[in-house]
Amino acid sequence: MTRYLIKRVAQAVAVLLAISATAFGLFYAAPSDPALIACGPKCTSAQLAAVRTSMGLDQPIVSQFTDYVGGIVTGRTIADVDGTPIPCPAPCLGYSYSLHQPVLAAIEDRLPVTVSIAVGALAVILVLGVGSGLAAALRRGRATDRLLSGFNLLGASVQIYFLGYVLQLLLVYSTGLFAPPRYVPFTTQPAQWALGLLLPWLVLGFVNAAVYARLTRSQMLETMHHGYVRTARAKGLGTLRTHLKYTARGAAGPLVQLLGLEVGALLGGAFITETVFGLGGVGKLAVDAVNGNDLPTVVGTVLLAAFFVVVFVAVADLVVAWLDPRVRFA
Amino acid sequence: MAAVSVAHAFRRDRFGIVSLGVVGFFLLLSAAAPLVAALYGKNPTEHYGQNETGLLSPEGLPLLPNGGVSAQHWFGIEPGLGRDVLTQLLYGMRTSLLIALASAAVVAVIGVVVGVTVGYLSALVDRAFTFVCNVLLAFPALLFLITLGPVIQTRFVGPGEDEPAWMQFAVLILVFSAFGWVPLAMVLRTVVRSLREREFVEAARALGASRRHIVFRELLPNVWAPVLVHLTLAVPAMVTTEAALSFLGVGINEPIPDWGRMISRGSDVFYDDPTYMVFPGASLLVFVLAFNLLGDAVRDALDPHTVR
C-alpha cells in the first residue's frame, strides 16, 4: 500500500506541474500583451511599464514560470499598478490588478460559498443518484426501475441555466415555497444557510445525479452475477444484506472514481449554478475574471480547480485501492 | 456484428425510433432554416418590435400576452430588440449543430487514430498516453473553455476590432475537439487491447502484414460500434456546453443567433417575460432528451451484452 501511495502522489504532482505549465503558457504567453489587459484601458505608459516589470514580463517565459511556481511554494512580493509592494505569502497564486488583492485572498473570500454549494449538491447526488441506482438495480425491470430511469434521463437532459430559472420563478417568486437563494455563513446561522442554499443544491444535484444512477445500476447488476455474491446468498444471507454488504463493495470502484472527479470539479467552482442563483463563489469569480480580462485571477482559479480535481481523483484512487486488493497489488 | 441485425434490433426499440424521428426533425429544420424563414416571412436579424408600433412597450417588453405570441410572430418577439423568436430559434439551432457536428467529426478522427494506435503500440507509448489523458482530464474543462476564447481573441484580433464570425466558430470547435477526443481514445484503447490478441490479428501478423496494415485495415473496421455510441452521446453534450458558454457570455456573439445567448438574455427579463426564455430552454431540453434517448437506443442495438 505504501508503494502504491508514493506512486500515486508522485503522479498527482507531475500532473499538477504539467497543468500549471500549460495554463501559464497559454494565458501569459499567448495574448499579445497581458500587462495591457491587467492594467486596463485607462493605463498610462509609465504604469504599463511598471506592471510589465511587476508581472515579470521583461523576463524570459521560463523564468516567469519558475517565479510563479516558486511563489506558490515560498511566497513573494508583487508590485501593484502604482508601484506599492504587496506581500503575497505562500501559496501565492499571483496578484489581481483589477481586484487589487492577491488572487488567493480573493479566492479565500469566496471559497466558503463554493464549498457550501458542493457539500449539499454532493449529498443530493448521493441520495438521488446512488440511492435510485441501488433501488433500480434491486427492482430491475419493474415499474420502479423504469420510473427512476425516466426521472434520471430528464435530469441528464435538462440544463441548470433553464431549470434553475424556471424553479426560481415557480417556487420562489410566484409561490414563496422556497427561500430566495442566498448565502449566509454556516457558522453564524446554520438554518438560514441550509434554507438559502436548498434550491441550488437540489437543482445541481438533480442534474448531476443521472450519471451516478445509471452507473450504480449497471455496476450492481454486473457484480450481482459474480460467484462470491452467489456464495453469500447460498449460505443463507438475505437478499438486501448480501447486496448492500458484498455486491455494493464490489460495485463501488468506478463510482468512487467518478465521485472523486465530481468533488474536485464542484470545489473548483459551480460556474453556472453560481451565476443562475446569484451566489458569489469561486465560479462567479472566475467567470467575472474572464469577462473582465483579469488574467492573474483566471490562472489562479484554473490552477485551484485543477488542484482540487487532481487531489480528489488521487484520494478516490486510494479509496478504490483500499476497497479492491486487485488494484493495490497490480 | 452485421449491420442488418443492428438495424433490426434498433427497429424494435420504440423509444429509439421516436427519438430518431425527433432528432431527424431538428436536423431537417436547421438545414432548411432559410427556406422555413422565407415561407414564414421573417428573418432573425430584423428588429420588428422597434420598427413597428404596437409590439413593444416603452420599457421594451412585448405588449401582447405570453411574450407577444401572435399570428405574425408565432413564438413571440424578443424583449428589447424586438426580433422574431421563431427564426432566432431556427438559426440558433444551426449555430449549435454546426459547432457540435464539426467538433464531433474532429473528435472522431483524432480519437480513433490515437485510441487505435495507442491500443496497438508498445507499453511506453501507452504510459505517455495515460499521462496526457490524466492531465487533460484533471483540467477544469469548462473553466478552460470559458477562458480560452478571450485569450485566443486577444491574440489574433486587434483591440477594438470585432472577432470575425468564422473565428468564433473555429475557436469553439478547436477547444471542444481538444478535450473531446480523450474519452473516446481511452475507450478505443481498451477495445483495441482486447482485439489485438484475437486470431484475425494474429493471422495478419503471421502473414507478415505491416503495423500500418494491421492498425488501419484489421483493427479500425472493428471499432465503429463504440465510436458511433460515443458520438451520439457527445453531440448533445457539446450542444449544451456551447449553450452554457454563450449563457456565461463567452460563446458566440451578436448578431449570430444562439440558444445559449437567448437563454441568457431571457434570464435578464425572466420575471417580466418568462416566455422568451421558455422557447429556447424547452427546445434545448427536447433536443437533448431526444439525442440522449437515441444514444441509448444505438448502444442497446449495437451491444447485445447491455444489461437491461
Side-chain angles (χ1 to χ4, degrees):
Chain A
M1 191 72 190
T2 321
R3 247 191 90 193
Y4 181 81
L5 199 87
I6 295 169
K7 211 172 100 186
R8 197 61 196 75
V9 170
Q11 204 185 341
V13 172
V15 169
L16 266 180
L17 265 179
I19 288 177
S20 44
T22 319
F24 191 85
L26 275 169
F27 297 130
Y28 275 94
S32 39
D33 193 351
L36 192 65
I37 296 167
C39 201
K42 286 180 223 150
C43 200
T44 64
S45 60
Q47 278 178 330
L48 191 65
V51 172
R52 203 168 279 147
T53 322
S54 156
M55 288 173 91
L57 292 171
D58 43 358
Q59 307 282 317
I61 179 78
V62 177
S63 75
Q64 285 182 44
F65 179 62
T66 48
D67 277 356
Y68 190 82
V69 174
I72 296 176
V73 182
T74 60
R76 59 186 178 146
T77 309
I78 301 174
D80 200 353
V81 182
D82 53 11
T84 335
I86 310 279
C88 179
C92 174
L93 290 176
Y95 179 81
S96 165
Y97 297 92
S98 31
L99 299 171
H100 297 288
Q101 66 181 136
V103 173
L104 192 70
I107 290 173
E108 273 169 358
D109 288 347
R110 292 158 180 86
L111 201 57
V113 181
T114 296
V115 173
S116 303
I117 296 174
V119 168
L122 206 67
V124 175
I125 287 175
L126 280 177
V127 173
L128 215 61
V130 179
S132 75
L134 278 175
L138 295 176
R139 314 206 43 94
R140 170 185 178 191
R142 313 246 187 102
T144 323
D145 183 16
R146 262 170 286 154
L147 202 70
L148 284 175
S149 77
F151 182 69
N152 283 316
L153 192 71
L154 194 68
S157 306
V158 78
Q159 302 302 310
I160 298 174
Y161 43 83
F162 180 51
L163 184 68
Y165 286 113
V166 171
L167 290 185
Q168 277 188 87
L169 178 71
L170 295 179
L171 302 178
V172 179
Y173 193 76
S174 303
T175 56
L177 287 173
F178 278 77
R182 69 192 177 112
Y183 173 78
V184 285
F186 174 71
T187 42
T188 52
Q189 291 168 295
Q192 293 303 314
W193 171 80
L195 276 178
L197 291 174
L198 190 57
L199 197 57
W201 287 343
L202 289 176
V203 170
L204 186 56
F206 174 57
V207 167
N208 285 314
V211 183
Y212 294 88
R214 177 173 285 191
L215 189 65
T216 310
R217 181 178 178 275
S218 65
Q219 280 294 114
M220 286 295 285
L221 289 180
E222 217 179 291
T223 320
M224 262 179 206
H225 300 289
H226 278 299
Y228 75 94
V229 177
R230 209 184 316 161
T231 310
R233 293 280 287 127
K235 282 167 74 181
L237 204 62
T239 316
L240 202 62
R241 281 191 65 187
T242 313
H243 289 322
L244 290 185
K245 197 171 172 192
Y246 294 101
T247 318
R249 181 167 178 161
L255 267 171
V256 171
Q257 268 164 338
L258 199 61
L259 272 174
L261 202 63
E262 188 82 49
V263 175
L266 282 173
L267 286 178
F271 314 100
I272 297 170
T273 310
E274 286 174 16
T275 309
V276 168
F277 292 102
L279 301 166
V282 179
K284 191 82 175 54
L285 176 73
V287 172
D288 290 346
V290 171
N291 285 328
N293 270 326
D294 180 2
L295 273 178
T297 310
V298 170
V299 177
T301 42
V302 165
L303 281 189
L304 184 86
F307 171 77
F308 282 133
V309 170
V310 170
V311 167
F312 281 96
V313 165
V315 169
D317 279 354
L318 295 179
V319 173
V320 171
W322 171 73
L323 279 172
D324 188 347
R326 284 172 304 182
V327 176
R328 224 179 308 162
F329 299 115
Chain B
M1 201 194 316
V4 180
S5 72
V6 171
H8 188 73
F10 187 83
R11 260 202 299 274
R12 273 187 316 194
D13 191 335
R14 262 176 305 154
F15 281 114
I17 293 295
V18 172
S19 56
L20 183 66
V22 175
V23 168
F25 175 70
F26 272 96
L27 287 176
L28 190 72
L29 267 186
S30 68
L35 185 68
V36 178
L39 290 174
Y40 168 68
K42 303 283 185 306
N43 64 64
T45 45
E46 204 173 320
H47 296 183
Y48 297 99
Q50 295 180 346
N51 300 338
E52 296 165 33
T53 49
L55 287 175
L56 288 179
S57 71
E59 294 83 42
L61 293 173
L63 284 172
L64 292 170
N66 301 321
V69 172
S70 66
Q72 252 67 49
H73 301 278
W74 294 357
F75 283 8
I77 53 171
E78 180 186 353
L81 292 177
R83 291 180 291 197
D84 181 70
V85 174
L86 177 57
T87 46
Q88 276 211 301
L89 265 186
L90 284 175
Y91 278 88
M93 185 156 57
R94 293 186 118 191
T95 311
S96 302
L97 277 174
L98 180 67
I99 292 171
L101 293 177
S103 313
V106 180
V107 162
V109 172
I110 302 179
V112 168
V113 170
V114 173
V116 173
T117 315
V118 167
Y120 188 69
L121 290 183
S122 67
L124 190 71
V125 179
D126 193 62
R127 271 213 167 138
F129 169 77
T130 316
F131 183 74
V132 172
C133 286
N134 280 336
V135 171
L136 282 173
L137 285 181
F139 247 106
L142 185 59
L143 180 54
F144 206 69
L145 291 175
I146 296 171
T147 48
L148 211 53
V151 166
I152 295 179
Q153 195 180 343
T154 40
R155 181 82 180 89
F156 293 105
V157 183
E161 278 177 53
D162 276 337
E163 198 179 10
W166 67 266
M167 194 189 275
Q168 300 178 27
F169 282 88
V171 165
L172 285 178
I173 293 169
L174 192 81
V175 282
F176 283 165
S177 314
F179 286 101
W181 65 269
V182 180
L184 178 60
M186 285 169 81
V187 170
L188 292 185
R189 165 181 164 261
T190 320
V191 172
V192 168
R193 279 170 77 131
S194 69
L195 276 180
R196 72 175 179 189
E197 308 300 331
R198 295 265 291 273
E199 289 85 349
F200 70 94
V201 178
E202 204 178 326
R205 214 179 298 140
L207 284 169
S210 66
R211 229 180 221 178
R212 207 185 136 108
H213 174 92
I214 293 174
V215 166
F216 287 98
R217 286 301 169 87
E218 306 287 340
L219 294 173
L220 209 54
N222 283 295
V223 298
W224 66 274
V227 172
L228 195 63
V229 171
H230 185 87
L231 290 183
T232 33
L233 292 170
V235 168
M238 288 182 196
V239 166
T240 54
T241 313
E242 191 275 324
L245 290 180
S246 296
F247 171 76
L248 292 172
V250 289
I252 297 290
N253 297 327
E254 294 279 5
I256 306 165
D258 184 281
W259 285 6
R261 221 189 41 244
M262 285 177 85
I263 294 178
S264 167
R265 174 77 188 104
S267 74
D268 296 337
V269 292
F270 190 56
Y271 299 110
D272 300 314
D273 179 16
T275 319
Y276 182 63
M277 190 201 229
V278 166
F279 279 114
S283 309
L284 192 61
L285 174 61
V286 173
F287 179 76
V288 173
L289 193 63
F291 236 112
N292 280 339
L293 276 168
L294 179 67
D296 286 354
V298 169
R299 190 186 45 203
D300 291 346
L302 285 173
D303 181 8
H305 306 299
T306 318
V307 204
R308 292 233 60 179

